[in-house]
Amino acid sequence: MRRTRRLLLPFYLMLGACMPVSPSDTATRAASATAAQSGLPPMKSFSVPRPAAPVAANGDIARDFLDLAFSLESGRSLPQLTRFEQPISVRVTGAPPASLGPDLKRLLHRLRTEAGINISLNGQANANITVEAVSRAAIRKALPQAACFVVPNVSSLSEYKQARRSNKVNWSRLTRRDRLAIFLPNDASPQEVRDCLHEELAQAIGPLNDLYRLPDSVFNDDNVHTVLTGYDMLILRIYYDKSLRNGMSRREVANRLPGILARINPRGQSIAPQRLARTPRSWIEAVQTALGPGATSTQRRSAATNALKVATAMGWRDHRRAFSHYAMGRLLQATDPRAAQDHFVLSQRFFGGGPDTALHRAYVASQLAAYAISEGRAGDALSLLTPHLDTAARHENAALLATLMLLRAEALDLSGRVTEARSVRLDSLGWARYGFGSDWAVRAKLREISSLNPAKRTRGAL
């Protein structure tokens, strides 16, 4: 089983972030707000997927695939490739929220059309994958700190509880995939349920590892991406290529990857490989301590400093260096806002201008725009926010999209464009309901962002 994960909601302003930290090999994700009947505008949801095709060298993709498919997050090696060899059937049990059905159907359609995987819904008890929707409390009772997870060789949470200390649910002992169960919360926000669904279903049928060196992937513990990307679909397409089979060794798969990639990703043949260095365990542990639960503020600050030292010593100039500055900025916000802002600026600079870090830049822009609004710099805030609204929408991140729109509304208010601000704010609420869930969570976000506006603070409007 994969190590426990907690969702990093890294850039939603001052709401606390958390990070995956737990010694097991079971995949999990942190919970969010619950949905409820609302007096707010109707909830919005995404319709047509707009994934971007990966822009990466085939040599890099082959290396990534091997590291994803033949290791667990803990570093333990897997001796052989395991996958489904038959058409994959999926069923839903428990008490699923209304949003789960449409989101699952959209995901299965994407897996069929983008990854070429024969997967479909099946209400039968013998389905290969069971998606069981239960309460967050029930999930955490079974696996503390988890909000969703996937395990092999079971079909229900009760069956997992009986087998959790046995080799039956041990990923490293798996020789083939026939039956798995995914446990999702039915009392989280629609986006949280969907994010869990994407990540856990991808792990149920594909790679079990995560790599921090991947900028444009759900298979990355920074959890910036929450729906499967074009890169992820390519990895899954390789996973189920006809020239691979269940039980192959790492060497056997490696020998076939060049031919597979030349066939399914021909443009990757002409791209120069980046050959990003492996991520040392010391950096991973430092980031997890800095942004994860269970550490004191002093320990977090020390860990963030260590992560930045490692990134600098490694000579990184990629998204991992950017993320190191981001972590430091997060931890300095309360005590040294100016220094925190400097680290966010450096983070944005190291994220660069490539398409694979567009979502990262959108997140950081929300932080920098918040500073601009609090300082009365409406024009700067609008310049920061405008390029990233479509990015958030294209990556189907309703929580981020709502945050960016609410920030834009405050900047418009500061500029005297009150009518336009009111329209943007109203439009954001439908996305906020999908992203944050309950009325209280949406209204808390409204108050949080409104409190940044110095004009409202002066008027005592809060």
Side-chain angles (χ1 to χ4, degrees), residues 89-406:
S89 56
V90 181
R91 68 166 180 161
V92 177
T93 63
S99 62
L100 178 58
D103 282 339
L104 176 57
K105 289 177 182 178
R106 291 183 71 243
L107 175 56
L108 295 181
H109 178 74
R110 287 192 61 198
L111 289 169
R112 288 192 296 268
T113 57
E114 296 177 43
I117 297 174
N118 190 345
I119 186 170
S120 60
L121 276 173
N122 176 352
Q124 303 301 313
N126 63 350
N128 301 115
I129 298 175
T130 298
V131 179
E132 186 174 7
V134 299
S135 69
R136 287 175 290 186
I139 290 175
R140 288 175 181 172
K141 186 176 181 180
L143 197 64
Q145 295 187 327
C148 54
F149 61 102
V150 56
V151 290
N153 298 321
V154 301
S155 297
S156 69
L157 192 58
S158 60
E159 188 180 359
Y160 166 69
K161 290 177 181 178
Q162 295 174 355
R164 59 183 165 185
R165 292 181 177 85
S166 71
N167 286 330
K168 180 180 180 180
V169 293
N170 190 328
W171 286 105
S172 64
R173 298 295 185 93
L174 206 63
T175 59
R176 55 180 293 155
R177 303 192 196 186
D178 294 303
R179 186 168 65 103
L180 300 100
I182 296 170
F183 307 112
L184 302 180
N186 58 15
D187 51 0
S189 72
Q191 178 166 320
E192 174 61 19
V193 177
R194 182 212 60 190
D195 295 352
C196 278
L197 181 64
H198 275 245
E199 182 172 337
E200 306 307 335
L201 187 55
Q203 293 162 355
I205 64 177
L208 298 168
N209 193 14
D210 282 315
L211 298 171
Y212 273 105
R213 72 170 183 260
L214 305 181
D216 186 22
S217 176
V218 165
F219 300 115
N220 185 325
D221 260 337
D222 66 12
N223 285 345
V224 169
H225 289 276
T226 55
V227 298
L228 293 173
T229 66
Y231 172 91
D232 297 329
M233 289 297 181
L234 178 61
I235 290 293
L236 290 171
R237 181 175 285 275
I238 298 169
Y239 216 88
Y240 283 85
D241 190 85
K242 61 185 178 182
S243 64
L244 300 182
R245 67 179 184 276
N246 198 56
M248 277 187 165
S249 69
R250 183 183 179 111
R251 177 174 295 181
E252 289 175 319
V253 172
N255 289 338
R256 286 165 172 75
L257 285 178
I260 294 172
L261 284 162
R263 172 166 39 86
I264 69 174
N265 190 46
R267 72 172 182 168
Q269 296 290 92
S270 59
I271 298 174
Q274 295 188 51
R275 298 190 179 91
L276 295 181
R278 292 185 181 275
T279 308
R281 201 75 211 166
S282 57
W283 185 87
I284 294 173
E285 292 172 354
V287 168
Q288 290 173 349
T289 301
L291 298 178
T296 66
S297 57
T298 300
Q299 290 170 332
R300 294 180 194 279
R301 175 76 174 271
S302 176
T305 300
N306 289 337
L308 193 51
K309 286 180 178 178
V310 171
T312 303
M314 292 290 293
W316 290 342
R317 301 188 66 81
D318 56 41
H319 58 282
R320 292 169 295 179
R321 173 69 178 273
F323 196 73
S324 302
H325 284 288
Y326 164 75
M328 183 61 76
R330 273 303 289 191
L331 296 173
L332 289 174
Q333 280 180 310
T335 58
D336 193 344
R338 181 58 59 186
Q341 187 174 2
D342 290 342
H343 278 286
F344 288 133
V345 170
L346 287 170
S347 177
Q348 193 76 304
R349 182 181 305 166
F350 280 108
F351 276 134
D356 55 356
T357 56
L359 186 58
H360 302 71
R361 297 194 300 275
Y363 280 131
V364 181
S366 72
Q367 293 284 3
L368 294 174
Y371 282 107
I373 291 169
S374 67
E375 295 169 0
R377 296 184 286 111
D380 290 344
L382 290 171
S383 296
L384 284 163
L385 294 166
T386 300
H388 300 293
L389 293 168
D390 184 67
T391 297
R394 180 162 46 84
H395 289 89
E396 301 187 23
N397 193 322
L400 175 61
L401 178 59
T403 298
L404 294 171
M405 294 176 74
L406 287 170

